[in-house]
């Protein structure tokens, strides 16, 4: 699957369900599903995509990831 924002971010943004208000369930592939605390999810998204980004871009990415996950709760 071709994703312009990167493979790791794409995999992390495939939010499948939410177990409670603070836990995000993420489908990593067809068979692997993991549950992460919301802030751990945000940290994983930023770590997966933000290594070469300036600080402001990392902050914006964190806001976007948190917003996306919260919207899909």
């Amino acid at each position: 699957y071709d994703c312009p924002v990167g493979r790791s971010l794409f995999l992390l943004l495939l939010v499948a369900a939410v177990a409670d208000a603070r836990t995000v369930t993420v489908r990593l592939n067809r068979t692997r599903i993991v549950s992460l605390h919301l802030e751990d999810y945000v940290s994983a998204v930023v770590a997966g995509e933000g290594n070469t980004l300036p600080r402001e871009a990392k902050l914006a990415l964190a806001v976007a990831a948190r917003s996306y996950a919260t919207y899909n709760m």
Side-chain angles (χ1 to χ4, degrees), residues 21-61:
R22 296 170 296 168
T23 303
V24 179
T25 302
V26 180
R27 182 183 306 275
L28 297 177
N29 57 38
R30 289 181 182 246
T31 59
R32 186 163 180 216
I33 298 172
V34 296
S35 292
L36 300 168
H37 185 274
L38 177 61
E39 293 307 315
D40 292 335
Y41 166 79
V42 171
S43 295
V45 170
V46 173
E49 293 297 324
N51 289 337
T52 60
L53 298 175
R55 183 175 186 276
E56 294 79 12
K58 290 179 184 179
L59 292 173
L61 181 58

